[in-house]
Amino acid sequence: MNRPPATATQTPDATTRQRVHPFAVRPVVAVAVLVGVVLTALSGRYGYHRDELYFMVAGQHLSWGYIDQPPLTPLIARISTTIFGDTVMGLRVLSTLSCVATIIVVALLAREFGSARRGQVLAAICAAVSGFVLGVGHMVSTATYDLLAWMLIALFAVKLLRTRDGRWWLALGLTAGIALENKYLVVLPVAALLVALLIVGPRSVLRSWWLLAGVAVAGLVALPNVVWQFQHGWPQLTVAGGISEDDGTENRIMFIPLQILQLSPFLVPIWVAGFLRLWRKLQWARSIALAYPVLCVAVLLAGGKSYYALPLLLVLVAAGAEPTLRWVDKHRIQAVIAVALTALTSAVFTLPVLPASAADLVIPVNKEQGEQIGWPAFTESVAIAWGQIPPAERSTATIFTGNYGEAGALRRYGPSHGLPTAYSGHMSFADWERPPDTNTGPVLLVEIQRTPVFEANFRDCKQVGTVDAIVSNDEDGTALVLCDAPAEPWSVLWPKLRQFY
């Protein structure tokens, strides 16, 4: 649809704000579905990620909240495995569909910024080949559904600014409320947008009863988890504080490099062009551009992880698709090569395309690859150590792990090796179950690193085995330590064994 020429009373900026081109449904959906097919084909190639093992156990203990997260992702894990099968592929079906939807929403954002068919398709392609989108789409994680929520919030915010229709606050509030049931990080982009609106406007969209209605909707949807956190002493604040304390300095140092690497270095010119376009030409959307640096400052101050700000880069990519087309028209061959290289590097570093034995090549850049490899072998090592306990003593013996990934793996694979229920004091595992006080026999500790202070809770500990992982992941070198008995009854010992991070 051709845009009418600007008049004295209708500037190009105003025209863009009032009208959009038709949505390029077929090519955009084709790009998104192609990614879905690739993700499905590769979804079972390695195995479960440690977080997925945790989510599956959490899904069997449905609640309005958990120590380290709201309830949505465990619920989705439960639904996906129930409908599509209790397998790696079955678990990841809804994650794949979320990725497909994210790509479509990025194209819709490009449309809101004035892109016609070709610009929308380019935006979809850029999202489809970006490392971050492929990485979170491949696995089940809170970031997977968080990304889709952020894209929808951005879409509704852009529609609000373009049309000045305050009713979009309701859609934004509803999406934010649902996102808060998945991860609290969603408050960051919303807060960044509000700060940007106060700085560069248009402030008129803030003077609306629809804004208050949107806030009310968000609060109402998020209320069950907020109540749960209140009733349990706000444990997620403790978890967040521990993560910031442990990793804050490293996160700040690596923030800018990872912003470039995790999305893709090849997409940098596009999101830079998008920022400049929003700031200089689409002045009604200036606050969208400013929201990104505001968000980056907030994440840096909090010591948060670099990916916390990545979704807003995809919004800038959507804005940059239209001006990038002019370069593509002049450099078609270079553009095809750039897309191919982006897709190749993103796939190698985020998807299980390499043999598991070669994953060490990419783990230094993306450690999540290694966290999907070796859990059955890990369980076999634990089973060998368990076999050193005399059969007569096993009925009162206990397996205690240092983290939720280990506990989740042993819950998943342990029964086939004759292992009993594995316990852990890590995150919500501490709330679900603890060993009975009648377990007065040997304790097999699974420790990534031997810790004398921790082992002091048990009697006469000695290392009886080591986990030799296939790749250099967190479990490589894990110590298997056999102790004679707990130093105190488990009911007394349990509060001392709780770990929040």
Side-chain angles (χ1 to χ4, degrees):
M1 182 183 297
N2 294 325
R3 212 178 295 163
T7 66
T9 59
Q10 188 176 28
T11 65
D13 176 60
T15 304
T16 302
R17 186 164 63 81
Q18 293 169 4
R19 304 183 63 182
V20 294
H21 294 276
F23 183 46
V25 177
R26 290 185 179 180
V28 167
V29 171
V31 171
V33 169
L34 177 60
V35 171
V37 170
V38 171
L39 292 179
T40 300
L42 295 173
S43 63
R45 183 167 164 74
Y46 285 171
Y48 294 106
H49 187 277
R50 70 166 61 245
D51 290 352
E52 292 175 320
L53 293 165
Y54 178 48
F55 294 142
M56 288 193 297
V57 180
Q60 300 303 316
H61 298 82
L62 292 177
S63 172
W64 280 113
Y66 302 92
I67 293 299
D68 54 335
Q69 63 186 304
L72 188 58
T73 296
L75 174 61
I76 291 174
R78 172 80 173 267
I79 292 172
S80 194
T81 52
T82 299
I83 296 175
F84 301 106
D86 192 9
T87 63
V88 180
M89 293 184 68
L91 173 68
R92 293 173 173 173
V93 170
L94 295 184
S95 177
T96 297
L97 293 176
S98 178
C99 180
V100 168
T102 296
I103 293 168
I104 293 172
V105 174
V106 171
L108 286 169
L109 277 164
R111 174 177 178 260
E112 292 296 318
F113 291 132
S115 287
R117 181 186 181 89
R118 293 174 63 228
Q120 296 169 31
V121 174
L122 178 60
I125 291 173
C126 289
V129 299
S130 69
F132 183 62
V133 173
L134 292 177
V136 301
H138 166 60
M139 301 181 303
V140 174
S141 70
T142 53
T144 304
Y145 309 109
D146 212 36
L147 176 59
L148 176 58
W150 283 42
M151 291 299 97
L152 287 171
I153 287 171
L155 177 64
F156 298 144
V158 173
K159 285 181 173 291
L160 170 69
L161 296 176
R162 183 179 64 80
T163 64
R164 300 294 201 272
D165 186 343
R167 288 174 293 183
W168 286 109
W169 279 118
L170 287 178
L172 199 156
L174 177 61
T175 307
I178 295 173
L180 284 168
E181 293 287 4
N182 179 64
K183 202 169 187 176
Y184 291 152
L185 282 179
V186 72
V187 301
L188 292 179
V190 175
L193 175 62
L194 292 175
V195 170
L197 283 170
L198 289 172
I199 295 173
V200 298
R203 299 181 186 88
S204 59
V205 298
L206 300 174
R207 296 189 292 270
S208 169
W209 286 106
W210 289 111
L211 170 57
L212 297 179
V215 171
V217 169
L220 185 63
V221 175
L223 184 61
N225 179 250
V226 173
V227 171
W228 188 94
Q229 285 285 325
F230 172 76
Q231 291 173 337
H232 292 78
W234 303 100
Q236 197 157 356
L237 294 180
T238 303
V239 174
I243 292 173
S244 178
E245 182 178 342
D246 281 358
D247 302 328
T249 300
E250 180 182 352
N251 290 341
R252 293 183 182 98
I253 293 172
M254 294 302 297
F255 184 84
I256 293 177
L258 289 178
Q259 286 284 289
I260 295 172
L261 289 173
Q262 289 177 332
L263 196 65
S264 174
F266 295 102
L267 297 180
V268 172
I270 300 179
W271 60 257
V272 169
F275 181 90
L276 295 175
R277 181 178 179 228
L278 294 180
W279 192 257
R280 295 174 178 175
K281 296 183 178 181
L282 303 182
Q283 294 188 10
W284 58 270
R286 266 189 169 186
S287 56
I288 301 296
L290 184 59
Y292 173 67
V294 169
L295 177 60
C296 289
V297 170
V299 173
L300 283 167
L301 290 175
K305 298 182 183 296
S306 61
Y307 75 84
Y308 292 178
L310 275 179
L312 289 193
L313 275 185
L314 281 174
V315 179
L316 299 182
V317 166
E322 193 66 22
T324 301
L325 283 175
R326 292 192 289 272
W327 181 86
V328 171
D329 289 338
K330 296 179 181 178
H331 307 87
R332 292 183 182 273
I333 295 178
Q334 294 93 322
V336 172
I337 293 173
V339 170
L341 286 175
T342 304
L344 177 62
T345 54
S346 294
V348 167
F349 285 102
T350 63
L351 300 179
V353 296
L354 297 176
S357 58
D360 276 336
L361 296 173
V362 299
I363 287 175
V365 176
N366 179 18
K367 66 171 290 187
E368 309 308 329
Q369 293 280 60
E371 298 306 309
Q372 304 169 69
I373 299 170
W375 291 113
F378 163 87
T379 305
E380 290 178 11
S381 297
V382 175
I384 292 172
W386 176 261
Q388 298 186 41
I389 300 175
E393 299 179 19
R394 292 178 191 171
S395 62
T396 58
T398 305
I399 299 177
F400 185 85
T401 72
N403 63 63
Y404 61 61
E406 296 165 345
L410 294 176
R411 294 286 183 101
R412 181 69 179 177
Y413 300 109
S416 64
H417 292 275
L419 294 177
T421 297
Y423 300 94
S424 179
H426 192 210
M427 300 301 187
S428 284
F429 262 100
D431 297 321
W432 296 330
E433 294 172 280
R434 66 166 174 81
D437 285 343
T438 53
N439 279 22
T440 57
V443 180
L444 179 60
L445 302 178
V446 183
E447 303 179 77
I448 285 183
Q449 185 175 12
R450 293 197 66 176
T451 307
V453 174
F454 172 68
E455 292 180 10
N457 295 296
F458 307 92
R459 295 193 181 102
D460 299 325
C461 298
K462 62 179 180 179
Q463 187 166 341
V464 295
T466 302
V467 175
D468 295 318
I470 300 172
V471 295
S472 300
N473 58 20
D474 284 350
E475 299 303 325
D476 189 24
T478 290
L480 303 175
V481 178
L482 187 58
C483 307
D484 286 349
E488 301 175 277
W490 283 104
S491 57
V492 176
L493 199 57
W494 202 242
K496 304 175 185 179
L497 301 177
R498 176 181 284 279
Q499 300 176 68
F500 286 98
Y501 45 86

